[in-house]
Amino acid sequence: MKGSHIIFSIVVVAMFAGYTIVFDTFPRSTFSELEKRDLAAFPEFTWNKLFSGDYTKEISSWFSDSEPYRDMFMAWSMEFDEAKRLSIGDDDVKIQISQDNVAISNSQEALGNEVGDEEYQDSLNLEDNAKLANSGIIIAGSGENVRALMIFGGGSKGGGAYAEVVNKYKETFGSKVNIYSMTIPNSIEFYCPEKVKKYSNPQRPFIENVHSLLSSGVKAVDAYTALRRHADEDIYLRTDHHWAPLGAYYAAEAFAKVAGVPFKSLDSYDCRVVKNFVGSMYGYSKDISIKKAPEDFVYYVPTGVDYATTYIVYDVNKNYQVTRESKPMSGPYFYKFNDGSGGAYSTFMGSDKKLTKVETSTKNGRKVLIIKDSYGNALPGYLFYSFEEVHVVDARYFTKNMKRYVEGHKITDILFAFNVFNAYSSSFSKKVERYLSQPDGTTYPADKTDEEKNDTVKLNTKQQESAVEIEDLATENSVDKSEHAGANSKKEKVDSIP
């Protein structure tokens, strides 16, 4: 008996010694691929922070946030949770959703009234068990067909602030500029198993309400019907909260029809694939089944059209405000990510934190400005055949006066492309409204940690540093590679698409 106690004591001491060695001596983690974020950095010392107690609190936060092998330990924890998790039942879920839903309109403005536009039924996941994961995410299906679905809690009467801002843009620019609104549903609208539909509100009534609030001069783009007709294809990513590039293609086609511009079939594109992609929903859901079901990230590169891309790159503080901007620089529109990279959705333009201008060989006098959230990143590449210039503004980051920008670049068309969550958000819309009146060069104070960084604006976030840049097909010989590489914190290899 005494001997067993000694063995147990030795095991416990060895375990604690091992933990001490790992957590106190091994290199600290700096970026979490699982959570898609930079981890806490060691705090800057100041006497004020020491005396106030903030310094020790920040050290404690750094120590716990940057633990060695953080992602590996989190994955182990998820494996344990997966082993004990039960399918959700009626009494297990408490989700706050709006109760103001109304019946789908029968008016001519309703979405998809054409014969044959019945509701899509997902044959893969319809009857499967579903479970509630972290952050209001439903995990549907199993094995290689597992899909993470983000619950929509918005009601049918929402979107008023968004519609008001879109209308204000039309009022501001009048007949000189065509204004379009595209409200994009997310994947749960089409792939939610029947037994858990009560946990998420339908998005179609909300989108119809947004359309009904738009002024007569604004042209609504029905992305909903375009996506629903192709819901049996890979139009949404299973492991990421975004749609797939194929879904964006069908939405871009719907926009081109409304705008009256040329549009090419997928035969005019080269298909590219990033294999073993696991996107953001692994980190959001904390569910190991997502990691175990990687998918192909398939995107399309236009051929037979020349285009050159110019960026103004932003540094952003912790409040998502622009603190400084780079000078205009040439760069690729498409970035190439290695198989297995979790950042593959950044294939388009590299990141959200930039202002993008693409000049194409199309000559029809049309220039489009896309004001978008991250869903909109996948749209511009399908419009190089349709417009002379494609300008892309992320709704969160813009330093110029919008009226002067539109007039100065002779923009003829403005497309708002927001997913339902951001179209429902009044704060998101108010930021876009402010761009109409803010002065050129609007920036905000940097975080203290940002002020200590090198003055060079970084083109990529850390999650993109593993990417191998590729030049646009049409401009691979004209881009100044040395200038572009100088804008990166880390010089990267530049290749062309074969």
Side-chain angles (χ1 to χ4, degrees):
M1 193 71 176
K2 184 177 179 181
S4 62
H5 288 167
I6 293 174
I7 294 174
F8 178 77
S9 298
I10 291 174
V11 170
V12 171
V13 170
M15 288 177 60
F16 275 101
Y19 279 120
T20 300
I21 292 172
V22 169
F23 284 93
D24 289 350
T25 65
F26 278 48
R28 311 296 296 184
S29 301
T30 58
F31 181 79
S32 172
E33 182 66 30
L34 169 61
E35 300 172 88
K36 299 292 189 297
R37 69 178 180 90
D38 293 314
L39 301 176
F42 193 84
E44 174 194 12
F45 174 83
T46 66
W47 289 108
N48 287 337
K49 288 202 296 186
L50 179 64
F51 291 137
S52 68
D54 289 341
Y55 186 63
T56 54
K57 291 179 181 177
E58 290 178 10
I59 288 180
S60 177
S61 176
W62 163 78
F63 188 82
S64 61
D65 196 50
S66 64
E67 61 189 23
Y69 307 110
R70 176 185 177 87
D71 282 1
M72 182 183 71
F73 285 123
M74 291 183 69
W76 286 354
S77 175
M78 292 179 203
E79 291 276 11
F80 178 75
D81 289 341
E82 175 71 10
K84 68 178 184 179
R85 180 178 283 132
L86 300 175
S87 294
I88 62 175
D90 290 346
D91 298 328
D92 295 328
V93 181
K94 294 181 180 179
I95 299 173
Q96 185 66 37
I97 61 176
S98 175
Q99 302 298 321
D100 64 353
N101 287 302
V102 296
I104 296 175
S105 170
N106 291 320
S107 72
Q108 294 182 351
E109 297 299 322
L111 303 179
N113 287 327
E114 293 86 348
V115 176
D117 280 343
E118 65 278 356
E119 182 179 358
Y120 173 73
Q121 298 293 314
D122 181 19
S123 59
L124 286 177
N125 294 330
L126 186 62
E127 300 301 330
D128 280 348
N129 287 334
K131 56 191 177 185
L132 183 67
N134 191 53
S135 301
I137 294 171
I138 289 174
I139 306 299
S142 59
E144 64 181 12
N145 294 321
V146 71
R147 183 185 293 274
L149 305 168
M150 190 171 288
I151 291 172
F152 179 67
S156 62
K157 297 180 182 178
Y162 165 75
E164 184 178 341
V165 170
V166 175
N167 292 340
K168 187 168 184 178
Y169 269 67
K170 183 58 185 177
E171 179 183 349
T172 299
F173 295 108
S175 60
K176 295 180 180 179
V177 180
N178 302 309
I179 306 292
Y180 310 85
S181 171
M182 177 191 292
T183 308
I184 306 163
N186 76 335
S187 60
I188 199 169
E189 181 72 359
F190 304 114
Y191 305 111
C192 187
E194 191 69 33
K195 62 184 66 177
V196 292
K197 278 190 175 181
K198 61 185 176 182
Y199 300 123
S200 183
N201 276 342
Q203 297 169 29
R204 179 169 172 169
F206 164 71
I207 295 174
E208 287 194 340
N209 187 61
V210 170
H211 286 192
S212 72
L213 296 174
L214 298 174
S215 66
S216 59
V218 176
K219 301 177 181 181
V221 178
D222 182 7
Y224 186 100
T225 300
L227 291 166
R228 185 181 60 191
R229 289 173 177 170
H230 297 277
D232 59 343
E233 303 173 37
D234 293 327
I235 58 171
Y236 286 92
L237 297 167
R238 293 184 297 100
T239 68
D240 197 88
H241 68 285
H242 295 104
W243 55 3
L246 182 60
Y249 170 82
Y250 291 123
E253 182 180 33
F255 165 60
K257 289 179 180 178
V258 175
V261 292
F263 193 78
K264 295 284 189 177
S265 69
L266 283 178
D267 294 339
S268 299
Y269 296 80
D270 280 342
C271 180
R272 295 287 182 265
V273 181
V274 178
K275 295 184 177 297
N276 298 318
F277 169 71
V278 177
S280 59
M281 293 298 255
Y282 172 41
Y284 292 158
S285 68
K286 304 292 191 294
D287 194 285
I288 196 66
S289 65
I290 299 300
K291 183 181 181 181
K292 291 180 176 179
E295 59 187 316
D296 286 347
F297 181 87
V298 182
Y299 64 99
Y300 303 90
V301 178
T303 62
V305 61
D306 297 333
Y307 52 94
T309 308
T310 304
Y311 296 116
I312 293 177
V313 186
Y314 300 134
D315 269 2
V316 177
N317 63 22
K318 62 184 179 182
N319 295 319
Y320 305 102
Q321 298 169 321
V322 178
T323 61
R324 55 189 171 183
E325 63 181 23
S326 73
K327 294 180 179 179
M329 61 181 69
S330 298
Y333 179 81
F334 294 96
Y335 287 71
K336 186 176 184 298
F337 285 79
N338 296 325
D339 290 346
S341 173
Y345 191 79
S346 294
T347 291
F348 317 105
M349 301 175 288
S351 81
D352 293 313
K353 301 180 181 70
K354 55 182 63 174
L355 171 63
T356 302
K357 175 184 177 182
V358 182
E359 297 174 277
T360 78
S361 58
T362 300
K363 300 302 177 185
N364 60 0
R366 302 286 290 274
K367 300 180 180 182
V368 65
L369 168 64
I370 303 173
I371 302 176
K372 55 84 183 176
D373 58 18
S374 59
Y375 265 60
N377 291 9
L379 288 170
Y382 299 117
L383 300 176
F384 297 168
Y385 303 104
S386 308
F387 293 91
E388 286 190 14
E389 294 180 6
V390 179
H391 298 246
V392 187
V393 171
D394 190 280
R396 294 159 289 187
Y397 316 114
F398 191 61
T399 62
K400 304 184 183 302
N401 177 272
M402 185 63 75
K403 289 189 286 188
R404 280 194 285 272
Y405 187 88
V406 169
E407 294 168 359
H409 290 86
K410 299 180 180 179
I411 300 297
T412 59
D413 302 83
I414 297 177
L415 169 65
F416 288 84
F418 289 5
N419 72 69
V420 289
F421 288 97
N422 287 322
Y424 199 85
S425 169
S426 60
S427 60
F428 208 80
S429 301
K430 287 178 182 177
K431 202 164 189 178
V432 178
E433 181 180 16
R434 189 167 64 245
Y435 298 150
L436 289 170
S437 57
Q438 73 179 15
D440 285 330
T442 296
T443 57
Y444 296 84
D447 301 326
K448 286 186 178 180
T449 54
D450 289 338
E451 292 174 338
E452 297 172 353
K453 292 179 181 177
N454 188 285
D455 287 338
T456 303
V457 177
K458 295 174 176 58
L459 180 60
N460 298 319
T461 60
K462 282 192 175 182
Q463 70 194 67
Q464 297 157 356
E465 287 182 356
S466 61
V468 182
E469 296 184 6
I470 59 174
E471 296 296 339
D472 294 325
L473 282 170
T475 60
E476 59 185 15
N477 296 321
S478 63
V479 174
D480 186 341
K481 295 182 177 66
S482 61
E483 178 187 3
H484 185 60
N488 291 273
S489 59
K490 172 182 175 182
K491 187 173 182 180
E492 300 177 323
K493 180 181 177 183
V494 182
D495 293 326
S496 61
I497 300 178

